[in-house]
Amino acid sequence: QVRLVESGGGLVQTGGSLRLSCAASERVLSIYTMGWYRQAPGKQRELVADITSGGSTNYADSVKGRFTISRDNAKNTVYVQMNSLKPEDAAVYYCNARRFSTYFWGQGTRVTVSS
């Protein structure tokens, strides 16, 4: 069982920045695709960005150019740098690790963006 712990959420003004971190309980970054998802009230959970074990990245259109996903294999940690935040970015952000049909989720960290 892989445990994922997110941190870094909080309140930020429109246009501000936050960096979220996701620490994994074991060395999974080299074999799992790591992703950040978000879920706003009344909406479905959606993919924000992910990064494969090979380092390929993928972003939702809504965050391209503003968010950057990265990882530090030595620290078993994946990050998402979020810049130019908008009110519509407000949500609970979840870290995900997936490999084939195996998925693990973190507990989420809340991001609030004030206008």
Side-chain angles (χ1 to χ4, degrees):
Q1 184 79 8
V2 174
R3 193 164 70 98
L4 303 172
V5 180
E6 302 99 332
S7 60
L11 173 64
V12 63
Q13 290 185 332
T14 297
S17 298
L18 283 175
R19 188 178 80 155
L20 307 183
S21 300
C22 170
S25 59
E26 55 189 81
R27 296 189 181 278
V28 298
L29 272 63
S30 61
I31 59 173
Y32 280 72
T33 292
M34 303 299 296
W36 284 98
Y37 290 72
R38 67 186 181 189
Q39 188 167 19
K43 295 188 177 181
Q44 289 188 328
R45 192 172 297 190
E46 62 177 359
L47 175 68
V48 174
D50 60 22
I51 182 166
T52 69
S53 57
S56 298
T57 58
N58 175 52
Y59 295 92
D61 287 343
S62 59
V63 306
K64 282 181 181 177
R66 300 188 297 122
F67 290 14
T68 303
I69 190 170
S70 62
R71 66 182 193 198
D72 185 333
N73 287 2
K75 295 183 177 180
N76 298 329
T77 301
V78 63
Y79 307 95
V80 61
Q81 177 67 43
M82 308 187 296
N83 298 328
S84 302
L85 283 161
K86 304 175 182 179
E88 52 263 43
D89 294 318
V92 177
Y93 283 70
Y94 297 91
C95 181
N96 169 272
R98 70 177 189 272
R99 184 171 185 262
F100 301 118
S101 60
T102 300
Y103 289 77
F104 298 101
W105 292 95
Q107 83 289 347
T109 185
R110 184 174 299 276
V111 172
T112 303
V113 184
S114 63
S115 56

